[in-house]
Amino acid sequence: YGHGAYGVEAAANTYFGKHVWELTLPEAAMLAGLPRAPARYSPYLAPKRALQRRRHVLRRMVENGFISPAQAEEAAKAPLHLRKREVKTVEAPYFVEQVRQYIEERYSSTDLYRGGLKVYTTLNREWQRAAEEAVREGVMAVDKRRGYRGPLAHVSLDRIDWQQIRALPWPKGLPLPRQEGQIVKGVVTRVGRKSVTVRLPDGSEGIIPLSKMKWAAKPNPLVDGMYRRIRRPSEALSVGDVIAARVLALPSKPGKRLTLALEQEPVVQGALLCMEVKTGAVKAMVGGYDFEKSQFNRATQAVRQPGSAFKPLIYATALTQGWTPASVILDAPIVIPDRPGHLWKPMNYDGKFHGPTTLRAGLTHSRNIVAIKLLREVGPEKVIQFAQKLGIESPLYPSLSLALGASGVTLLELVTAYDVFANQGVRMQPFFVRRIEDRYGNILEETRPAGEPVLSPQVAYLMTSMLESVVQEGTGRRVKALKRPVAGKTGTTNDFVDAWFVGFTPSYITGVWVGIDNMDPLGRRETGSRAASPIWLAFMQKALQGMPVEDFVQPEGLVTVQIDPETGLRAPPDEEDAITEIFLPGTEPTQYAVSMQRNIKDVFRQELQ
């Protein structure tokens, strides 16, 4: 029912301070209209819309014979006498809602709200706070790079209605500046050459230096927002603008001004899910920027295209068919008939072709052509079957566009699949509840993690090693700052609509998605590396702080060979550029690079022809 109220009794108390049996007809009708969209029809957030919704409920009650038209008309005219709103902060709201739904589906609403159940979850509260902060800050950073969408409202300085300004739905919280980091509403009273003066609801003033609002250029999807800046405050703000500002510093003494930074409510959304590798226990989950505004869980419910984050599943399928990290695919132009009269000419992100490329290099640098040709060789149907074994449940379509992540998945599914690589080929079922007891302490259920082997430990390690290369040398380089062994992969979809990063250490795996609910582009060059991996890094730095550094352990049953990185063949003893590569026994190359140079060039020439 919104605002942290679960069940009609809780809703009656939250909105009216009553028991459910004490509600009047107008009050009951308003509550009846809430479950469909609690935030949209909230009488606190949208009173006019709430009254319209109540009128609809009353009309339906008349149609179904519960009340007379006269009763409905009288109830529709009744004013809303709401209980004074208490600002409730439900800890880990998306996680709690996931658990609530699980209990209600498995048991009943009566057991959930009146059964006195004791529920023990997998949540790590400190990690959850770190996750929420990382998503919040990361999403706001991406949103700012999209440009400034303008003030919350505009008023005349001689007629400022502070009550009306306070009623604006964002930012929420206390109207007066109480602590650093808080976001407050204010009115611009002066626009200078290097700063803006802002009046706050309590009469105090704050200053926004130009350096704290340089991001506020007008939105332009054709320009990279990372480098777009305004030169004067007047390019973004005018006197009378109602704005949101973050408190950077409180006054050092009475009479001094606050230091502020310009903010805006993001339209960009984000999700994060962290899981324990060896058990599947979900340690932290964020399903969106603001649960109160949208209860839709983007970590478990949003089916979005994963882009290049899907490629590891193709590579892993190939490894099970005898391909190796040193196998070579020609990164050269390709033309594919994809429908009558239309040819698909895929390109790499950088617009270039790189010639003979090993699978390790292809994954490290996320080469689209290599992935497409590899998928064509191993077969889309085989990849789909393999992905389903790893935990992908969303429908996947057997076309070559699968190589670019064209079929949607959820973040939870992708984290589950990657966890197989981290967990030596064993698939774990993610879970949120450790144990449930009744009011008397009797255990109703207890989760005992049990994995299912779906991939050999050797192939799982080969994939982990290749994904380590993504972090060390490729598109995941930003997370090297964790200063621990990390394996992972970025993902970016066409027109920069979705950005992903899924990465793991030996013990914990975390996935991050960033995007906009209506599928608008995030902005030029807003890749998984730029938009998603900083959120992953910020969270993991806090979560793993103080923990010992772990290395990925290579299982028995693998061999190492010195190879030539250009051809994937054995390196001559005197080759200076030789690298060590890992193979399943019997798949390592037997021929030396020098003797095969002519053949490789011949293959290149033939395919170009």
Side-chain angles (χ1 to χ4, degrees), residues 71 200 250 282 406:
Q71 288 176 305
L200 302 177
L250 295 171
V282 177

Side-chain angles (χ1 to χ4, degrees), residues 311-569:
K311 287 176 182 175
L313 279 66
I314 299 169
Y315 281 76
T317 306
L319 294 180
T320 66
Q321 295 184 8
W323 293 70
T324 78
S327 297
V328 171
I329 286 182
L330 188 63
D331 185 355
I334 183 173
V335 178
I336 302 169
D338 65 344
R339 62 178 185 269
H342 185 269
L343 298 176
W344 180 36
K345 301 177 182 179
M347 296 288 292
N348 291 318
Y349 176 73
D350 61 5
K352 301 176 182 179
F353 301 100
H354 302 270
T357 304
T358 64
L359 293 197
R360 182 180 290 273
L363 185 60
T364 295
H365 302 291
S366 202
R367 308 281 193 227
N368 291 339
I369 304 301
V370 174
I372 292 168
K373 289 186 174 182
L374 183 61
L375 176 61
R376 185 172 62 180
E377 292 295 321
V378 301
E381 292 82 4
K382 295 289 186 183
V383 170
I384 291 172
Q385 292 171 11
F386 181 80
Q388 291 169 342
K389 283 173 56 179
L390 267 60
I392 303 296
E393 298 178 354
S394 297
L396 301 175
Y397 300 99
S399 70
L400 291 183
S401 63
L402 190 65
L404 307 185
S407 290
V409 299
T410 68
L411 179 61
L412 178 61
E413 288 174 327
L414 207 55
V415 169
T416 302
Y418 274 55
D419 188 63
V420 174
F421 306 142
N423 196 29
Q424 299 180 324
V426 178
R427 174 184 168 183
M428 303 304 301
Q429 185 66 34
F431 68 100
F432 299 81
V433 175
R434 292 193 183 279
R435 187 172 76 256
I436 299 178
E437 298 176 0
D438 66 15
R439 66 171 74 246
Y440 306 108
N442 299 312
I443 296 176
L444 301 180
E445 69 171 84
E446 188 168 15
T447 303
R448 302 183 186 277
E452 176 189 1
V454 294
L455 189 64
S456 75
Q458 291 76 24
V459 172
Y461 181 79
L462 290 178
M463 281 306 306
T464 296
S465 174
M466 293 170 70
L467 291 171
E468 280 189 279
S469 294
V470 174
V471 172
Q472 291 300 314
E473 307 166 29
T475 57
R477 286 191 302 272
R478 288 176 190 263
V479 306
K480 284 175 67 175
L482 190 63
K483 297 180 180 178
R484 295 169 178 265
V486 176
K489 184 71 184 75
T490 55
T492 311
T493 58
N494 286 345
D495 300 321
F496 308 102
V497 171
D498 299 273
W500 302 73
F501 185 76
V502 182
F504 54 88
T505 66
S507 291
Y508 297 99
I509 180 167
T510 298
V512 172
W513 167 84
V514 178
I516 300 174
D517 287 343
N518 66 4
M519 303 290 186
D520 278 352
L522 290 170
R524 188 170 176 80
R525 299 190 186 280
E526 291 298 335
T527 61
S529 175
R530 180 193 284 185
S533 66
I535 296 174
W536 187 97
L537 177 62
F539 167 71
M540 292 293 275
Q541 282 176 326
K542 290 189 177 180
L544 301 184
Q545 188 174 13
M547 289 191 176
V549 174
E550 296 179 278
D551 292 313
F552 293 106
V553 178
Q554 179 174 320
E556 296 181 357
L558 292 169
V559 296
T560 56
V561 174
Q562 292 291 106
I563 68 163
D564 170 49
E566 298 296 325
T567 64
L569 302 175

Side-chain angles (χ1 to χ4, degrees), residues 6-18:
Y6 295 99
V8 68
E9 172 69 10
N13 180 57
T14 294
Y15 292 101
F16 302 110
K18 298 180 177 181

